[in-house]
Amino acid sequence: QETREVQQAIPLHSPSTPFPETKMARTSKVNVLGHATLALAATVLLLLSLAHSGDATRASPTGRATLSPLMRLRGGSSAPKMTRSASQQEISRPDVSRPGPGSKDAKKEKIWQLTKGYKPVDKESIQRSVVHHVEHTLAADRYNFDDRTAYNAVALSVRDHLVESLRDTKSHYVKEDPKRVYYLSLEFLMGRSLLNALMNLDLEKPYRAALEEIGYHLEDMVDQEKDAALGNGGLGRLAACFLDSMATLNLPAWGYGIRYEHGMFEQRIKDGIQVEFPDTWLTHGNPWEIQRLDITYPVTFYGSEKVIAVAYDTPIPGYDTLNTNSLRLWSAMPDQDIDLGKFNEGDYNKALAARQRALEITQVLYPNDNNWAGKELRLKQQYFFVSATLQDMIKTFLTAKPGRSMDELPEKVAVQLNDTHPSIGVAELMRILIDCHGLGWSAAWGIVQKVFAYTNHTVLPEALEKWPVALMQSLLPRVMEIIFEINRRWLNEVKETMGDKGEMMGKLSIIEGEGDHKMVRMANLAIVGAFKVNGVAAIHADIVKADVFPHFVEFYKRKGINDKFIGVTNGVTCRRWMAQCNPTLNALITRCLGSDKWVKDLSLLEGLKKFSDDDKVLDDLMASKHENKERLAKYIKETMNIDVDSDTMFDIQVKRIHEYKRQLLNVLQIIHRYNAIKAMSPDQRKNVVKRTCFIGGKAAAGYFVAKKIIALANAVGSVINQDPDTKDYLKLIFIPNYKVGNAQIIIPANDISEHISTAGTEASGTSNMKFVMNGGIIIGTDDGANIEIKEHVGEDNIFIFGAKNHEIPDATRKMKEGASWDSRLNKVFASIRSGKFGNPVDFEPVLNSMENGADRYLLAHDFASYLDCQDRVDKAFQDKKSWAKKCLNAVAGMGFFSTDRTIQEYADNIWNCKPCPRPDPRG
């Protein structure tokens, strides 16, 4: 009974890791009665085995491992209740009809009669749909098709349901004409789509059963899907979480970005060094996207060269809702595909030159901008997708109600700029309103300032984008003219309000520098053109106002505007980052809370606190953790051929490699730990807390020091992992090509995770939230969202070290003046320079980044505090019951950090956007 109840709550198998199995023959279905008999027999055998065994995993009769022990959860409430109210299974019943045409047009009425029902989702209908796509869409042999073909067919079958929902949602939006949100981001790190779509549509169980009967396994289908390579780090992953929550909350909000052909890059490690390879995620096509050749817009460069933006839509289903929104990505095509005259003359390069220039725009995410051509391409990318999006927005606005005035635009649209990348939109919307729709300057500017909102994601001055005026004048001459005029009028307003103060004018100007060195400050343009500016954590919002843009805050205060700068703390979607990637924890939480309502209302996690003294619940939590560690250990063995002891403490730091994120500090303390263990006697080592340290993340191709940090981490790992004195007590593993797909394996396995940026440098961070939601404990600084996590989980359930934000100026001064280092750090540097980890010359750039007062991110200052913190972690980890209690309380405190809460704050406090749920066709 308990097994059946939990199986209803969560699939038995992990979505991220395929288990070894005996392949079923690819034959026609057997007799249904025979399957029912086999299923009954298998159920009896499973229940008997559950009653007599407590092993962590078991093998099914087909050789597939199952997650048996936590399917018999002993602690918590009785039977959990499933609470889905908007299931595709329900609306696909024969008695449920789709919305009618809304008119008495005979042709439309006939079409509705032909298609009035939703696609059925019974077992045979799913099988028929999959095989239909195998033969008719993919033109494959329906009796003999491999897993890749099967995956594409399954994805297309699921997409059919998404398209029905998307079309009905769009029709409802057109009918209701709500205020819409346009979320502009250069990155959308979506990850894999199959399991996410099945979960949100409530179709995982029927698809799993249907596939098994024709000889295929859902886990194999998942393994065939490549991550959509549309982002790099937290910015793109946050945007993806936002899309999920926007749809779940029934907000009429779409994401807009670029359809990169190759994404950023695939990271491989060769001889310990990062090597970048093209991330060819589209090699086998993308079954989730819908090419919209009917939705195209011209984008002009250099004053006359046109490129065509072509829309590709990816449906984004909400969880437990009938609404499906979309992510619209733009691909670039030439206005003139070929110069036939040049081609016939034999000058093939010139004949295809325009095509090549157009295709370059959407080839790669973040092309290296260390040269002029790279800068030009990056600016092209930003303007390309922003211009196409704004044209699309205006067209949607005007066609929704023919004859409407542009004055209504702020009442019907809100444009959110995700960081400075899309901030060129402020000037571009002015161009569209003035040049294309005939508005005067004042009227156009009044509209623009009511439409845009800007999210700042950084406190580092060098990360606030600037473009050379000369580049913009060449590439976007009309837009540059408009920016000059915006700045002229803006500075006049500043002078009237603040007086003719040179310093104030300089700080607030959109243009900085003189002569050939003039630059356009894109953050300033975004602030001037936006009605709201938000930080992404409480401390970040304060830093933005006090340190990054204090002159703007002062100006608006003088104008009587005190609420332009606000804070909205980031979150993550628990659907992907708990329920989907950690099925055993999902089952435990559902069991304890009595239902799965927490998946849509994360604040319900608070109810876990009452189980903090329940030994059975704590045991199940640790069993869940151990199973996730076994899964990661298996992944490391399969992909890197390194043996990992899952009984060791798993210490994980995975994120974009950057000096301020201080992966180097982690590597330095690992060297110290290695030296200390190496110096111990065998008896002393028996008291050492065994650790396996994982580091992962990509360094930007042109970021020299970051790539050297990766090299050092790999060099250190290669030594300590092979040292017979220490390898059983300490390992360091650099996981290559960190992405959403392997993050869903890595994050649930953490015992502790490292979020150790210098205080005041990390805007928020979201991986810290994911790690804690999955039952881990943070080692971190008082930075970004760590501060709010500490407030919600309690100071006893997080380990904090290092200088506080208000102490940074004094600490920085001391280090520049040559303050002495901790002797243990000196010994670590000596170890590196001794050649123990390879040629020390290779690592001099890393060491030099800290020496002679150059330690900008205060690694030396925080080193002693960091080591003390690590000692506290070791001591706490040895008390297993107390540690389990910390983990449970940490999970229980994470309800605040849902993107559902974040997006609701955006909707209420920035966009003024209301939910627009589809009517339930069941009546």
Side-chain angles (χ1 to χ4, degrees):
Q1 173 68 22
E2 289 180 348
T3 301
R4 185 174 71 252
E5 290 162 354
V6 178
Q7 284 174 330
Q8 291 172 349
I10 191 70
L12 283 173
H13 304 305
S14 160
S16 299
T17 305
F19 293 107
E21 62 183 285
T22 302
K23 294 283 187 182
M24 296 176 65
R26 312 308 199 189
T27 60
S28 61
K29 294 185 295 180
V30 300
N31 182 274
V32 174
L33 180 59
H35 268 289
T37 304
L38 288 172
L40 178 60
T43 301
V44 172
L45 289 171
L46 176 61
L47 290 173
L48 287 172
S49 68
L50 289 176
H52 292 92
S53 174
D55 292 343
T57 58
R58 293 176 180 79
S60 72
T62 64
R64 181 181 296 281
T66 58
L67 312 183
S68 54
L70 293 180
M71 298 303 101
R72 298 187 294 115
L73 296 173
R74 298 162 292 164
S77 305
S78 56
K81 299 175 182 177
M82 303 304 105
T83 59
R84 296 292 287 266
S85 61
S87 168
Q88 193 70 28
Q89 296 181 56
E90 290 295 315
I91 68 169
S92 294
R93 297 196 314 256
D95 60 322
V96 177
S97 296
R98 298 181 67 186
S103 70
K104 295 182 179 180
D105 184 289
K107 182 179 71 172
K108 293 180 180 179
E109 184 67 23
K110 176 63 176 176
I111 291 172
W112 179 72
Q113 289 292 338
L114 292 171
T115 60
K116 66 179 180 180
Y118 290 95
K119 272 194 72 172
V121 294
D122 60 277
K123 189 187 299 182
E124 287 196 1
S125 294
I126 291 173
Q127 292 164 345
R128 191 175 294 111
S129 172
V130 170
V131 175
H132 165 82
H133 282 296
V134 167
E135 184 169 40
H136 294 92
T137 308
L138 304 173
D141 183 347
R142 70 184 188 276
Y143 296 114
N144 184 24
F145 51 97
D146 60 16
D147 283 347
R148 177 171 292 147
T149 302
Y151 157 70
N152 279 295
V154 170
L156 290 166
S157 174
V158 175
R159 195 189 76 172
D160 289 344
H161 297 289
L162 293 173
V163 169
E164 286 181 341
S165 178
L166 176 64
R167 290 308 315 170
D168 287 354
T169 303
K170 289 181 68 175
S171 296
H172 181 62
Y173 290 167
V174 169
K175 178 182 177 182
E176 297 297 318
D177 192 26
K179 185 173 187 179
R180 302 181 187 231
V181 175
Y182 294 78
Y183 191 84
L184 276 62
S185 179
L186 202 59
E187 295 186 40
F188 286 96
L189 201 53
M190 302 301 295
R192 294 169 172 174
S193 295
L194 178 56
L195 273 175
N196 193 68
L198 288 173
M199 177 184 179
N200 283 9
L201 292 172
D202 194 26
L203 290 179
E204 182 174 344
K205 285 175 64 179
Y207 265 84
R208 184 184 296 278
L211 289 170
E212 291 283 347
E213 197 170 276
I214 59 173
Y216 293 86
H217 300 295
L218 186 58
E219 285 78 15
D220 296 332
M221 306 301 97
V222 172
D223 197 44
Q224 290 296 322
E225 184 174 3
K226 293 202 70 172
D227 281 33
L230 301 169
N232 175 30
L235 186 78
R237 189 54 234 161
L238 178 73
C241 288
F242 277 13
L243 294 184
D244 178 85
S245 287
M246 289 170 187
T248 297
L249 295 176
N250 295 316
L251 295 175
W254 280 27
Y256 282 82
I258 294 178
R259 181 182 181 268
Y260 302 103
E261 294 284 337
H262 294 99
M264 191 174 182
F265 59 80
E266 177 186 338
Q267 181 195 55
R268 300 181 194 173
I269 303 299
K270 300 290 186 182
D271 299 321
I273 298 171
Q274 171 181 294
V275 181
E276 300 90 24
F277 286 78
D279 191 347
T280 53
W281 73 287
L282 288 171
T283 300
H284 301 290
N286 176 14
W288 302 102
E289 67 184 8
I290 305 157
Q291 186 183 36
R292 302 299 306 270
L293 294 175
D294 58 321
I295 301 176
T296 63
Y297 298 98
V299 179
T300 303
F301 298 106
Y302 309 107
S304 59
E305 183 176 299
K306 286 186 179 179
V307 171
I308 303 301
V310 181
Y312 285 75
D313 289 347
T314 300
I316 305 294
Y319 177 84
D320 198 23
T321 174
L322 300 177
N323 281 32
T324 294
N325 289 335
S326 184
L327 168 61
R328 177 161 287 175
L329 302 174
W330 301 104
S331 184
M333 294 295 291
D335 181 43
Q336 181 181 359
D337 196 54
I338 185 172
D339 186 332
L340 196 57
K342 294 290 184 185
F343 192 88
N344 289 333
E345 291 173 4
D347 195 345
Y348 305 130
N349 289 333
K350 286 187 178 179
L352 297 171
R355 176 181 178 83
Q356 179 62 28
R357 286 195 300 272
L359 296 180
E360 286 172 357
I361 296 173
T362 53
Q363 281 298 305
V364 178
L365 167 67
Y366 294 144
N368 193 335
D369 62 351
N370 287 346
N371 54 69
W372 190 265
K375 293 180 191 298
E376 183 177 66
L377 183 53
R378 280 208 187 189
L379 182 55
K380 265 189 177 182
Q381 288 182 331
Q382 294 179 12
Y383 181 72
F384 167 78
F385 99 89
V386 168
S387 179
T389 299
L390 295 179
Q391 291 180 68
D392 194 43
M393 177 188 78
I394 294 294
K395 180 180 178 181
T396 302
F397 167 75
L398 292 176
T399 55
K401 183 189 283 186
R404 76 192 323 170
S405 167
M406 280 292 179
D407 292 337
E408 295 180 50
L409 190 66
E411 299 172 17
K412 291 298 179 181
V413 305
V415 179
Q416 189 68 42
L417 306 174
N418 191 29
D419 215 353
T420 55
H421 307 127
S423 57
I424 192 76
V426 171
E428 174 63 3
L429 185 55
M430 285 293 289
R431 185 195 68 79
I432 293 171
L433 293 176
I434 294 172
D435 295 357
C436 303
H437 294 278
L439 271 68
W441 183 278
S442 296
W445 186 241
I447 292 170
V448 166
Q449 287 189 303
K450 296 175 184 175
V451 164
F452 287 101
Y454 161 52
T455 300
N456 174 272
H457 282 280
T458 184
V459 299
L460 302 177
E462 65 269 25
L464 296 173
E465 271 192 321
K466 301 175 184 178
W467 293 113
V469 167
L471 171 61
M472 197 169 284
Q473 284 177 319
S474 170
L475 186 66
L476 307 169
R478 176 57 176 152
V479 171
M480 191 64 245
E481 286 180 357
I482 290 171
I483 292 175
F484 276 137
E485 182 61 17
I486 291 172
N487 193 51
R488 185 187 71 80
R489 292 174 181 246
W490 162 246
L491 290 181
N492 284 341
E493 186 179 355
V494 170
K495 186 183 297 185
E496 291 174 4
T497 304
M498 309 292 290
D500 193 3
K501 299 178 181 178
E503 181 185 2
M504 181 66 73
M505 299 280 281
K507 293 287 186 181
L508 296 180
S509 177
I510 298 168
I511 309 297
E512 72 170 10
E514 298 292 337
D516 295 337
H517 302 289
K518 282 185 178 180
M519 306 287 283
V520 181
R521 295 165 164 162
M522 302 309 290
N524 287 22
L525 177 63
I527 293 170
V528 172
F531 65 90
K532 274 283 191 285
V533 179
N534 74 277
V536 290
I539 185 176
H540 177 236
D542 291 340
I543 291 173
V544 164
K545 289 186 284 188
D547 299 333
V548 183
F549 303 118
H551 298 87
F552 281 97
V553 173
E554 176 62 23
F555 169 81
Y556 287 109
K557 185 178 179 181
R558 295 272 189 99
K559 299 281 287 186
I561 302 172
N562 297 311
D563 61 348
K564 178 158 182 166
F565 290 83
I566 64 172
V568 182
T569 299
N570 282 341
V572 299
T573 171
C574 66
R575 265 80 66 182
R576 182 182 291 270
W577 293 109
M578 292 181 75
Q580 187 187 127
C581 76
N582 199 338
T584 52
L585 180 61
N586 179 345
L588 174 59
I589 295 172
T590 298
R591 182 72 178 177
C592 288
L593 299 182
S595 83
D596 62 349
K597 288 183 180 180
W598 65 272
V599 180
K600 198 171 181 180
D601 182 1
L602 203 61
S603 67
L604 295 175
L605 291 181
E606 185 81 12
L608 293 175
K609 290 183 178 179
K610 66 182 179 183
F611 299 103
S612 61
D613 292 315
D614 186 323
D615 288 346
K616 293 179 179 180
V617 170
L618 297 179
D619 287 345
D620 283 345
L621 178 62
M622 291 299 98
S624 168
K625 176 63 64 181
H626 191 267
E627 186 160 325
N628 287 321
K629 291 167 71 173
E630 289 277 8
R631 183 172 56 151
L632 177 56
K634 180 181 177 183
Y635 173 81
I636 296 298
K637 180 64 176 177
E638 290 178 349
T639 58
M640 302 181 68
N641 197 29
I642 298 175
D643 292 313
V644 175
D645 181 359
S646 57
D647 290 327
T648 61
M649 179 198 293
F650 277 19
D651 176 348
I652 303 177
Q653 186 183 25
V654 284
K655 53 186 76 223
R656 181 168 51 92
I657 307 297
H658 197 291
E659 288 169 277
Y660 85 83
K661 293 180 183 288
R662 301 205 295 190
Q663 287 92 350
L664 177 56
L665 179 61
N666 192 2
V667 175
L668 296 176
Q669 75 86 14
I670 291 171
I671 295 173
H672 164 75
R673 191 178 186 88
Y674 166 69
N675 289 340
I677 297 172
K678 185 77 172 171
M680 292 178 182
S681 67
D683 285 341
Q684 290 174 319
R685 289 175 191 151
K686 293 178 181 178
N687 297 319
V688 169
V689 174
K690 298 179 179 180
R691 282 202 202 196
T692 303
C693 302
F694 300 91
I695 298 177
K698 296 178 181 179
Y703 195 167
F704 179 73
V705 173
K707 295 173 79 169
K708 285 294 184 181
I709 292 171
I710 292 175
L712 178 60
N714 280 296
V716 172
S718 67
V719 171
I720 66 176
N721 296 352
Q722 302 300 320
D723 191 321
D725 293 333
T726 63
K727 66 180 183 179
D728 293 334
Y729 303 93
L730 180 65
K731 276 190 169 72
L732 170 57
I733 299 168
F734 187 91
I735 303 175
N737 207 38
Y738 179 60
K739 56 185 178 181
V740 174
N742 57 22
Q744 290 182 248
I745 301 172
I746 295 166
I747 290 173
N750 86 98
D751 288 309
I752 58 172
S753 60
E754 309 257 356
H755 309 276
I756 56 177
S757 53
T758 312
T761 60
E762 185 73 85
S764 168
T766 53
S767 67
N768 45 8
M769 303 170 191
K770 296 166 193 168
F771 278 103
V772 181
M773 286 179 179
N774 280 276
I777 303 297
I778 283 177
I779 294 178
T781 50
D782 259 338
D783 195 29
N786 286 353
I787 296 172
E788 288 163 273
I789 292 174
K790 178 177 67 175
E791 293 171 355
H792 284 84
V793 305
E795 292 189 8
D796 292 339
N797 303 313
I798 188 171
F799 293 90
I800 299 295
F801 74 95
K804 312 296 185 187
N805 184 55
H806 69 274
E807 298 171 336
I808 295 300
D810 188 53
T812 301
R813 178 185 58 77
K814 288 179 179 177
M815 299 312 292
K816 284 184 177 180
E817 292 174 354
S820 60
W821 287 11
D822 187 282
S823 62
R824 294 168 292 184
L825 180 57
N826 289 323
K827 290 178 181 177
V828 169
F829 268 49
S831 294
I832 297 172
R833 287 194 163 119
S834 73
K836 181 180 293 186
F837 305 109
N839 187 348
V841 174
D842 292 338
F843 309 124
E844 280 299 322
V846 174
L847 305 182
N848 292 341
S849 70
M850 291 177 57
E851 294 176 317
N852 302 316
D855 187 14
R856 175 182 177 185
Y857 297 110
L858 301 180
L859 284 74
H861 180 276
D862 286 352
F863 188 73
S865 176
Y866 187 39
L867 296 188
D868 291 343
C869 185
Q870 297 286 358
D871 289 341
R872 288 188 282 124
V873 170
D874 283 342
K875 183 177 180 181
F877 191 73
Q878 290 174 304
D879 185 339
K880 297 303 182 184
K881 181 176 179 180
S882 175
W883 186 267
K885 187 173 180 178
K886 285 179 182 291
C887 294
L888 184 70
N889 285 329
V891 175
M894 291 302 291
F896 176 77
F897 297 97
S898 166
T899 39
D900 294 349
R901 186 269 313 155
T902 305
I903 289 300
Q904 192 62 61
E905 289 188 23
Y906 274 96
D908 293 342
N909 302 332
I910 298 178
W911 303 331
N912 190 28
C913 179
K914 306 301 180 186
C916 189
R918 275 173 52 198
D920 193 326
R922 296 168 294 183

